[in-house]
Amino acid sequence: MERAVPLDEGLAVYFPGPDSFTGEDVGELHVHGSRAVIDGVIDELCRLPDVRPSDPGEFSRRAFANGKLDLVQAEGIADLVAAETRLQRIQAIRQLQGGLSELYDSWRSRAITCLAEAEASLDFIDEADVGSVALDPAKPRLLASDIAAHLDDDQRGERLREGFRVAVLGPPNSGKSSLVNLLARREAAIVSSTAGTTRDIIEVHLNLEGWPVTLADTAGIRESGDSIEREGIRRALNWAKQADVTVFLGDLSTDEDAAVSATTARTLRAWNKSDLGSPARDPRVTNDDVVISCRTGEGIDELLEALRSAIASVGGHPEDGLALTRVRHRQALKRAAEALRSAAQVESTELAAEELRAAVHALGRITGRVDVEDVLNRVFSTFCIGK
Ligand SMILES: Nc1nc2c(ncn2[C@@H]2O[C@H](COP(=O)(O)OP(=O)(O)OP(=O)(O)O)[C@@H](O)[C@H]2O)c(=O)[nH]1
Ligand SMILES: [Mg+2]
């Protein structure tokens, strides 16, 4: 028989409620992080009666149930765990600390005030002093426009959470793959002097001074008889349509005029192979363009700076104000703003009250103030286990 051997040497910490993360009494075991140690400890623990592994997000869900956090803060935790860059971290920690929750709750309480006024005027409808407590339609209208201003943000918070999409487009052989490899600092894409090398989209992830960026190397754009290459070009243009910024990379060593106009996103023009061409005398190069060489590294810092500033101009800065971070919030806010606008318009106070109740409910669902079992299941199931 195998002799009993300890599983690990570790640390046990006891957090008594209600000051623990979940509000309950919590014990933590700190062990060495290898697969074998973790599996061994979990197997042993699960032999005990009433012990089971936690579900994804279960700790945060308990903290929510015990009033330690609201739903928006809980989502802030998930974002903090997933944050890959400094600016993503700043946005997530601000959300965790309750900035967005305060904003949404303040809107909810303004909607409740409107509702109370509408209901009060309904209650006193038969009495002599009707009118003294009537709902002033300017109030829901103003609240709706405050919410609309928050919604009209170019989705900068959501983009920062998800990362900015930057497409590198250009004619075949201009050095798109060379540029992507240089920025990614690895040989992600095949580089060759054969025009039409890249067909599939190759995505690499960059941290551009805190901005999370997905950079895509794409197939060179040209009229092609090859069906696989044509499919690559179709994908390239498609990806670029969804991009926040497009880098158009021209080739100074050829004099072909290669304009790509298929993208709606903001476009940065760069010309590669300055070591072979003479950009100063090239009529295609304008003052706004960046001249680079992937071979010598010339102009690469300048290109990165131009890219960073293009992204910053679509992205804003998480410290400049509270940005909407999730589609879930956006949908609820849209619903609330619509209901508030109707409340300001309808003739009957009864209908106005109905709309205001819908607005209060929609705003309450964001932070989880109202009964939202369906929302809870959706939110917490995206968490990782142990959070
Ligand atoms: N002299 C010089 N050659 C370069 C430079 N950048 C890339 N090249 C060369 O140009 C050729 C094409 O480079 P790629 O990076 O494969 O070009 P691409 O735009 O990805 O080409 P496709 O995938 O075919 O569209 C290769 O032989 C590279 O070594 C540069 O700055 N100077
Ligand atoms: Mg390529």
Side-chain angles (χ1 to χ4, degrees):
M1 216 182 93
E2 208 178 310
R3 219 155 50 91
V5 181
L7 290 165
D8 191 15
E9 288 186 5
L11 177 69
V13 185
Y14 173 55
F15 295 98
D19 293 328
S20 64
F21 174 71
T22 61
E24 301 165 338
D25 293 339
V26 176
E28 274 186 15
L29 299 179
H30 293 227
V31 300
H32 291 102
S34 65
R35 201 64 262 168
V37 169
I38 293 171
D39 286 351
V41 172
I42 289 178
D43 282 352
E44 278 309 312
L45 286 173
C46 287
R47 281 175 213 265
L48 300 172
D50 296 329
V51 172
R52 63 167 174 80
S54 69
D55 294 328
E58 187 166 355
F59 289 94
S60 302
R61 189 166 182 157
R62 286 179 184 222
F64 170 78
N66 292 327
K68 290 272 172 179
L69 328 145
D70 66 37
L71 213 44
V72 173
Q73 289 177 300
E75 286 168 328
I77 293 182
D79 290 351
L80 197 56
V81 171
E84 284 177 358
T85 74
R86 185 175 59 86
L87 296 176
Q88 285 179 318
R89 187 191 69 221
I90 292 174
Q91 176 161 282
I93 193 80
R94 293 190 71 192
Q95 184 167 334
L96 173 57
Q97 290 188 326
L100 267 185
S101 310
E102 250 171 54
L103 181 68
Y104 298 151
D105 279 342
S106 76
W107 286 343
R108 179 167 176 265
S109 75
R110 279 167 67 187
I112 289 174
T113 306
C114 296
L115 177 60
E117 285 174 6
E119 281 181 338
S121 72
L122 281 179
D123 288 347
F124 296 118
I125 207 131
D126 296 330
E127 304 195 5
D129 60 346
V130 193
S132 60
V133 280
L135 170 70
D136 174 3
K139 282 190 187 170
R141 201 175 299 127
L142 181 63
L143 180 52
S145 78
D146 286 350
I147 294 175
H150 181 70
L151 283 168
D152 181 25
D153 67 345
D154 257 339
Q155 309 196 346
R156 61 191 170 93
E158 286 152 282
R159 289 175 201 229
L160 178 56
R161 255 192 80 226
E162 285 156 20
F164 294 81
R165 290 161 65 92
V166 176
V168 181
L169 283 191
N173 246 351
S174 67
K176 300 176 297 300
S177 300
S178 306
L179 177 64
V180 167
N181 287 351
L182 191 70
L183 298 184
R185 300 200 181 119
R186 66 189 171 88
E187 301 299 309
I190 299 173
V191 166
S192 97
S193 57
T194 312
T197 304
T198 307
R199 273 98 187 273
D200 287 318
I201 303 228
I202 295 163
E203 296 184 4
V204 302
H205 295 278
L206 303 180
N207 177 347
L208 205 60
E209 291 181 32
W211 298 102
V213 171
T214 301
L215 185 70
D217 179 23
T218 65
I221 310 291
R222 65 170 168 185
E223 292 294 328
S224 169
D226 179 319
S227 66
I228 300 171
E229 189 178 350
R230 274 207 308 275
E231 173 60 15
I233 293 168
R234 194 189 64 78
R235 291 183 187 200
L237 294 174
N238 239 354
W239 204 98
K241 268 192 213 143
Q242 318 283 329
D244 298 299
V245 177
T246 299
V247 175
F248 172 77
L249 191 65
D251 188 342
L252 289 170
S253 72
T254 70
D255 46 16
E256 277 164 51
D257 189 29
V260 174
S261 55
T263 157
T264 52
R266 98 190 27 226
T267 300
L268 241 169
R269 286 219 307 182
W271 294 95
N272 187 32
K273 309 192 189 176
S274 63
D275 53 303
L276 296 180
S278 37
R281 279 182 281 119
D282 195 318
R284 297 171 298 174
V285 180
T286 71
N287 280 342
D288 293 335
D289 298 355
V290 185
V291 171
I292 64 170
S293 164
C294 291
R295 181 142 302 166
T296 66
E298 188 200 338
I300 297 294
D301 286 345
E302 204 188 322
L303 178 65
L304 279 174
E305 175 49 31
L307 193 53
R308 193 202 56 75
S309 100
I311 290 170
S313 71
V314 266
H317 193 285
E319 276 167 345
D320 289 346
L322 292 164
L324 217 157
T325 54
R326 282 180 191 248
V327 179
R328 186 181 81 78
H329 307 172
R330 183 174 291 282
Q331 285 168 343
L333 290 169
K334 271 191 185 157
R335 175 79 199 85
E338 272 163 29
L340 288 161
R341 268 192 294 267
S342 317
Q345 274 165 12
V346 291
E347 290 286 320
S348 116
T349 312
E350 250 160 38
L351 287 182
E354 195 56 42
E355 294 290 353
L356 291 170
R357 229 169 275 130
V360 171
H361 186 78
L363 291 168
R365 280 170 72 91
I366 304 179
T367 50
R369 292 265 176 268
V370 292
D371 187 31
V372 282
E373 197 58 28
D374 56 328
V375 180
L376 296 188
N377 289 337
R378 207 150 25 101
V379 167
F380 289 109
S381 64
T382 63
F383 276 57
C384 50
I385 292 179
K387 267 291 154 203

